[in-house]
């Protein structure tokens, strides 16, 4: 006839199979509450989620989350305890244990868990002049691990869904730290099975429900391209090229008479398709869709279509299909012309919708990545979104693409200010990367594990320069850093790189396995 409450800290975000053993205690009620963080009473964001500050603040915060409720049968004995084990793993950093007993005393003999995750073997290691990046790397690695089981997952605590946009970067992070494509190949095959009659993919799969974000299908094309560059598996590209072609056919059928992609979706729960782009703070009222989508087409969907066509052209060229590659490039060029005519203001800034005077960093980034505007214009536009207020910013979900544009326009030193998002996570005692900096619904979202790609592939500069790493590019991008060193795992071996700035020059040294030396195409 007593009640006990204990709050237990696992020390880090965890995915594990819980197991509890009981002796006696007939009809006792045991509740286990699984929480990612201590949260405040205030609620924020479009989903009205609990506000999070210091994740360890048990004084001002409280624990809330998913529950297991178990009524003890009372048949447990010391030699044969009564065991409670859920069938599926639980995600938690904290477990709140609430026990209410009846007439019979209850002994909790054990409460533990067995960790579960994909067997990711991280071989890549990087050190830089910025000590804060070490902690960011650690929470990033843990985030990726917690979002890899039998599939990639957007997050282990909530949906546990293999989303295309999320998985594309998660796969790149996996390649960068382990050169392992086993789960990636499964993901590629899973998603191809999600293709609908109209050519689009269900944006998350496996999933028994329709869930369509048109732009997400383009990230699948990028996924195939990435595998080509890292592993050079021509058979894989041939197998999934029909999926790529049908995705592009959907967008081709939805071109407006002006030549850009017409309206394909809208608000979540209100239209058949959701035109989600990013969790930008300014777009919270429209759940991640640029508000321009309330008035007509979203320019970002045209830019994504261009990006997909450009990468599909490279896939076709790899397969020796020069005519098809040319057709894809020609189609991309026509959509670019339409964007420049109907979605660009006189100063060269790309609007969020045709003729709609609303602007975001996102459109400037993808106009840069697709060469829809000149590099000079791209640099000017992106700087404007960095230095001037009023532009929706790329959040955690889109930072990978922002960083690619900063690299392309020689603005990579600005990554320092954007790493502040992760520095804040560390300061607030996060052990994994949050879904969005504006409001952190999910504490563990693997699109935020950006450091796993950025440090080895950009800062150390080790990348494939031809399909299957037949050519290896070693070209560090220092940005704001003064030195860096480490080893990068690639298919076929490891490459060691060390560089430091010496005045205006960057001195680079690298070593590669003997059988890879002839593959280097650029060194410093």
């Amino acid at each position: 006839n007593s009640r006990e409450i204990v709050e237990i800290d696992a020390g880090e975000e965890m995915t594990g199979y819980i197991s509890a053993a009981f002796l006696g205690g007939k009809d006792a009620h045991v509740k286990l509450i699984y929480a990612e963080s201590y949260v405040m009473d205030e609620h924020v964001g479009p989903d009205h989620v609990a506000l999070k500050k210091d994740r360890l603040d048990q004084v001002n915060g409280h624990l809330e989350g998913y529950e297991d409720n178990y009524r003890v049968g009372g048949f447990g004995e010391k030699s044969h305890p009564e065991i409670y084990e859920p069938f599926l793993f639980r995600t938690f950093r904290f477990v709140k244990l609430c026990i209410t007993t009846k007439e019979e005393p209850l002994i909790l003999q054990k409460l533990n868990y067995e960790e579960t995750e994909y067997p990711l073997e991280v071989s890549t290691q990087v050190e830089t002049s910025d000590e804060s990046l070490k902690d960011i790397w650690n929470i990033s690695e843990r985030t990726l691990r917690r979002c890899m089981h039998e599939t990639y997952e957007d997050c282990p605590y909530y949906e546990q869904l293999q989303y295309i946009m999320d998985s594309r970067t998660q796969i790149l992070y996996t390649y960068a730290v382990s050169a392992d494509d086993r789960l990636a190949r499964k993901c590629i095959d899973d998603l191809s099975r999600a293709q609908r009659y109209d050519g689009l993919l269900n944006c998350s799969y496996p999933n028994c429900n329709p869930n369509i974000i048109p732009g997400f299908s383009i990230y699948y094309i990028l996924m195939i391209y990435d595998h080509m560059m890292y592993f050079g598996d021509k058979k894989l590209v041939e197998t999934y090229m029909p999926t790529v072609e049908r995705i592009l056919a959907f967008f081709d059928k939805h071109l407006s008479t002006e030549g850009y992609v017409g309206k394909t979706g809208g608000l979540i729960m209100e239209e058949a398709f959701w035109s989600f782009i990013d969790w930008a703070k300014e777009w919270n009222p429209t759940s991640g869709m640029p508000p321009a989508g309330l008035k007509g087409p979203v320019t970002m969907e045209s830019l994504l279509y261009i990006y997909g066509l450009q990468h599909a052209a490279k896939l076709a060229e790899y397969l020796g299909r020069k005519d098809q590659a040319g057709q894809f490039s020609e189609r991309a060029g026509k959509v670019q012309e339409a964007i420049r005519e109907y979605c660009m203001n006189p100063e060269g800034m790309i609007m969020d919708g045709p003729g709609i005077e609303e602007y975001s960093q996102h459109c400037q980034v993808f106009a840069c990545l697709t060469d829809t505007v000149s590099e000079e214009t791209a640099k000017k536009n992106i700087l404007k979104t960095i230095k001037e207020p009023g532009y929706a910013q790329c959040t955690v979900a889109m930072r990978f693409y922002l960083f690619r544009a900063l690299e392309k326009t020689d603005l990579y030193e600005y990554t320092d200010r954007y790493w502040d998002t992760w520095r804040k996570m560390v300061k607030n005692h996060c052990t994994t990367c949050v879904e969005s900096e504006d409001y952190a619904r999910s504490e563990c979202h693997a699109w935020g594990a950006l450091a796993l790609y950025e440090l080895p592939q950009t800062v150390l500069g080790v990348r494939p320069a031809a399909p299957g790493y037949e050519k290896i590019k070693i070209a560090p991008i220092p940005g704001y850093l003064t030195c860096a060193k480490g080893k990068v795992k690639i298919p076929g071996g490891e490459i060691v790189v060390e560089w430091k700035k010496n005045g205006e020059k960057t001195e680079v040294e690298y070593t590669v396995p003997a059988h890879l030396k002839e593959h280097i195409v650029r060194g410093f």
Side-chain angles (χ1 to χ4, degrees):
N1 295 310
S2 63
R3 178 172 168 79
E4 297 291 342
I5 298 177
V6 182
E7 296 177 351
I8 307 168
D9 182 359
E12 62 184 71
E13 181 93 359
M14 180 56 62
T15 53
Y17 291 95
I18 289 285
S19 180
F22 306 106
L23 308 182
K26 180 176 173 58
D27 290 332
H29 176 230
V30 178
K31 179 191 292 186
L32 297 105
I33 301 175
Y34 305 103
E36 293 189 293
S37 167
Y38 281 91
V39 298
M40 304 297 116
D41 293 331
E42 181 183 350
H43 288 76
V44 295
D47 293 332
H48 199 61
V49 298
L51 174 66
K52 298 176 181 178
K53 294 182 179 179
D54 185 335
R55 275 39 175 193
L56 296 176
D57 187 358
Q58 74 272 31
V59 175
N60 300 300
H62 63 277
L63 297 178
E64 60 181 50
Y66 296 119
E67 300 178 3
D68 286 338
N69 287 276
Y70 183 70
R71 176 172 289 181
V72 179
F75 50 80
E77 299 177 354
K78 192 170 185 179
S79 58
H80 294 90
E82 180 177 348
I83 303 293
Y84 168 67
E85 292 180 346
F87 290 111
L88 187 66
F89 71 79
R90 299 297 190 247
T91 303
F92 52 89
R93 180 176 177 184
F94 302 94
V95 177
K96 185 174 182 177
L97 179 63
C98 308
I99 300 178
T100 303
T101 59
K102 299 296 185 180
E103 298 295 326
E104 186 175 307
L106 172 73
I107 295 177
L108 177 61
Q109 190 186 60
K110 73 167 185 175
L111 175 63
N112 58 22
Y113 64 86
E114 181 177 5
E115 182 178 349
T116 181
E117 62 187 35
Y118 178 84
L120 179 68
E121 297 180 5
V122 174
S123 300
T124 295
Q125 298 175 2
V126 186
E127 296 178 24
T128 75
S129 55
D130 182 351
E131 284 294 319
S132 71
L133 292 177
K134 182 177 181 180
D135 289 332
I136 293 172
W137 177 280
N138 290 337
I139 67 170
S140 299
E141 181 182 327
R142 186 179 295 111
T143 303
L144 182 61
R145 290 183 184 279
R146 298 296 175 259
C147 295
M148 294 174 70
H149 290 89
E150 75 278 11
T151 66
Y152 284 99
E153 299 149 8
D154 61 332
C155 60
Y157 189 79
Y158 290 100
E159 296 94 335
Q160 298 182 358
L161 289 177
Q162 186 170 245
Y163 276 94
I164 308 172
M165 178 182 171
D166 306 58
S167 296
R168 190 261 167 146
T169 47
Q170 288 173 257
I171 287 171
L172 276 175
Y173 304 158
T174 306
Y175 294 165
V177 299
S178 68
D180 178 358
D181 74 332
R182 292 172 296 172
L183 194 60
R185 296 175 75 97
K186 181 180 184 299
C187 176
I188 289 168
D189 190 62
D190 284 345
L191 295 173
S192 74
R193 298 172 187 274
Q195 193 156 41
R196 295 157 39 92
Y197 68 92
D198 58 7
L200 289 180
L201 307 183
N202 222 36
C203 70
S204 60
Y205 192 82
N207 189 348
C208 61
N209 299 313
N211 185 14
I212 313 299
I213 301 174
F216 273 30
S217 290
I218 297 298
Y219 295 102
Y220 181 80
I221 300 173
L222 307 182
M223 199 183 290
I224 303 299
Y225 172 82
D226 296 335
H227 194 279
M228 175 189 78
M229 293 302 294
Y230 280 81
F231 297 96
D233 187 338
K234 191 165 288 188
K235 184 65 177 176
L236 182 142
V237 177
E238 287 177 339
T239 298
Y240 300 108
M241 199 64 182
T243 308
V244 170
E245 292 163 353
R246 291 184 64 201
I247 291 169
L248 296 173
F250 169 87
F251 288 94
D252 189 51
K253 290 176 184 175
H254 285 79
L255 290 176
S256 66
T257 54
E258 293 82 3
Y260 51 75
V261 175
K263 187 173 174 62
T264 63
L267 295 174
I268 187 172
M269 306 298 288
E270 292 189 15
E271 300 191 43
F273 299 165
W274 177 25
S275 289
F276 171 85
I277 298 298
D278 188 10
W279 287 121
K281 177 175 62 177
E282 296 84 354
W283 300 347
N284 279 344
T286 47
S287 296
M289 179 187 77
L294 298 173
K295 306 169 187 175
V298 174
T299 305
M300 268 296 297
E301 291 184 340
S302 292
L303 291 170
L304 283 169
Y305 177 43
I306 295 166
Y307 209 37
L309 284 167
Q310 291 170 339
H311 284 80
K314 294 173 184 175
L315 292 171
E317 188 174 347
Y318 178 59
L319 295 178
R321 304 176 185 178
K322 294 185 178 180
D323 287 346
Q324 186 182 43
Q327 291 168 8
F328 287 150
S329 296
E330 184 179 354
R331 283 160 62 180
K334 289 180 178 179
V335 182
Q336 286 177 312
E337 289 174 8
I339 294 295
R340 287 190 282 263
E341 182 172 353
Y342 296 101
C343 304
M344 181 188 288
N345 73 11
E347 287 73 45
M349 291 283 286
I350 304 299
M351 307 177 207
D352 285 349
I356 298 174
E357 294 282 339
E358 297 173 9
Y359 301 90
S360 64
Q361 192 173 64
H362 306 72
C363 281
Q364 316 321 314
V365 163
F366 277 82
C368 168
L369 296 180
T370 57
D371 296 314
T372 299
V373 298
S374 68
E375 192 168 312
E376 180 183 357
T377 299
K379 184 171 185 176
K380 174 177 66 75
N381 291 349
I382 291 170
L383 270 175
K384 196 175 181 70
T385 68
I386 293 173
K387 294 184 174 182
E388 298 181 13
Y391 298 96
Q393 297 286 298
C394 293
T395 74
V396 172
M398 276 283 185
R399 289 284 167 83
F400 173 84
Y401 301 96
L402 171 62
F403 280 25
R404 302 286 65 74
L406 294 176
E407 175 190 350
K408 185 174 180 179
T409 54
D410 293 325
L411 297 173
Y412 200 69
E413 66 271 15
Y414 283 98
T415 57
D416 186 18
R417 68 163 61 187
Y418 289 108
W419 284 124
D420 282 346
T421 296
W422 283 265
R423 294 181 184 117
K424 185 178 178 181
M425 295 180 206
V426 173
K427 181 181 178 181
N428 285 332
H429 299 110
C430 295
T431 62
T432 46
C433 302
V434 303
E435 178 178 9
S436 169
E437 60 266 43
D438 185 42
Y439 76 103
R441 183 195 68 135
S442 166
E443 277 295 286
C444 184
H445 234 73
W447 60 23
L450 176 59
L452 304 185
Y453 178 93
E454 217 57 43
L455 300 191
Q457 310 277 264
T458 310
V459 172
L460 292 187
V462 179
R463 290 181 184 166
Y469 259 110
E470 278 300 313
K471 295 181 180 178
I472 303 168
K473 180 179 179 180
I474 302 177
I477 309 293
Y480 70 95
L481 300 170
T482 58
C483 64
K485 63 180 180 180
K487 61 178 182 178
V488 182
K489 177 71 173 176
I490 68 168
E494 289 182 345
I495 296 178
V496 178
V497 180
E498 182 172 1
W499 63 261
K500 61 181 178 179
K501 286 183 178 178
N502 187 358
E504 295 297 316
K505 296 182 179 180
T506 301
E507 299 174 351
V508 181
E509 295 181 359
Y510 61 86
T511 58
V512 299
H515 69 284
L516 293 177
K517 286 184 178 179
E518 61 188 40
H519 295 251
I520 303 298
V521 296
R522 181 185 177 191
F524 292 81

